[in-house]
Amino acid sequence: MKKRFIAIIIFCLSNQINAQIYMDYLLFNKCNEYRTKNGLKEWNWSKRAFKPAAHHSDYQVKNGYMGHDEKSDTPRPTSRLEKYGIDWNYSGENCAVVCGSGVSLEYVANRILELWKESPAHKKLLLNPESAEYGAISCKYGRDYKWSKDEYDWVFCTLTVFKE
């Protein structure tokens, strides 16, 4: 019985991790599709860009907060790039949070992209022809956001892009 319980726990945890990895690539590909539909070249997925994106998504989940700043040793998006050794001459960051309870990963990815397209500043990053060459998205699940404490699944996403 104990082994079965442990196997179930491992399965559930690996499913959530796989879902998060799938979500990262799904949303990143949707952003690139949007760029190409607007005559722009795609960003290249970068493990280097993923590190500051994951760092910030983890911070947002831990603090139940969505925004670009942190009360940490990496208060700004550029300080996160520098922490991970990225010598950038252009950088950008989009953040979002949506409720992920009872909806598909496809719905979450579409909703986040729509939110970014509806916001002039976020859309400007998505459609900047002079912008980045490299990017990555990190999406993490959390249970606390604003007024909701351990009631719903929230998906916190960070898009990090840069050019060296």
Side-chain angles (χ1 to χ4, degrees):
M1 181 69 168
K2 186 177 181 180
K3 287 182 182 179
R4 188 173 176 192
F5 177 73
I6 291 171
I8 290 170
I9 297 252
I10 290 170
F11 174 77
C12 290
L13 289 175
S14 66
N15 258 0
Q16 185 160 1
I17 290 168
N18 288 334
Q20 287 180 239
I21 293 168
Y22 175 75
M23 174 67 74
D24 299 340
Y25 287 107
L26 177 65
L27 183 53
F28 188 76
N29 288 334
K30 287 181 179 294
C31 290
N32 272 334
E33 287 172 12
Y34 181 61
R35 287 177 58 79
T36 58
K37 283 180 184 174
N38 284 278
L40 302 171
K41 69 178 191 169
E42 293 184 354
W43 294 315
N44 297 303
W45 178 271
S46 166
K47 290 180 184 177
R48 292 174 60 216
F50 183 76
K51 290 178 182 178
H55 173 106
H56 191 56
S57 290
D58 287 337
Y59 177 88
Q60 292 179 105
V61 167
K62 180 182 173 191
N63 293 283
Y65 163 80
M66 195 277 297
H68 297 282
D69 57 322
E70 292 183 9
K71 293 178 181 163
S72 72
D73 64 333
T74 55
R76 298 174 317 285
T78 55
S79 58
R80 291 186 280 283
L81 291 171
E82 291 159 3
K83 176 182 177 94
Y84 292 99
I86 297 170
D87 185 23
W88 56 275
N89 58 35
Y90 174 88
S91 70
E93 180 182 87
N94 280 357
C95 297
V97 63
V98 297
C99 185
S101 293
V103 296
S104 70
L105 298 177
E106 184 79 24
Y107 172 85
V108 172
N110 287 334
R111 182 67 186 128
I112 290 169
L113 182 58
E114 285 304 312
L115 289 170
W116 287 343
K117 287 163 54 175
E118 292 169 1
S119 162
H122 294 92
K123 183 176 181 176
K124 182 178 178 182
L125 176 65
L126 292 173
L127 297 179
N128 186 344
E130 304 296 319
S131 74
E133 296 174 33
Y134 306 102
I137 291 178
S138 173
C139 299
K140 305 281 178 129
Y141 285 82
R143 294 287 293 171
D144 295 336
Y145 180 59
K146 293 188 179 182
W147 64 90
S148 169
K149 300 297 180 200
D150 204 29
E151 291 180 86
Y152 304 103
D153 291 322
W154 295 96
V155 183
F156 294 81
C157 290
T158 305
L159 164 67
T160 298
V161 296
F162 71 92
K163 180 173 20 177
E164 294 181 293

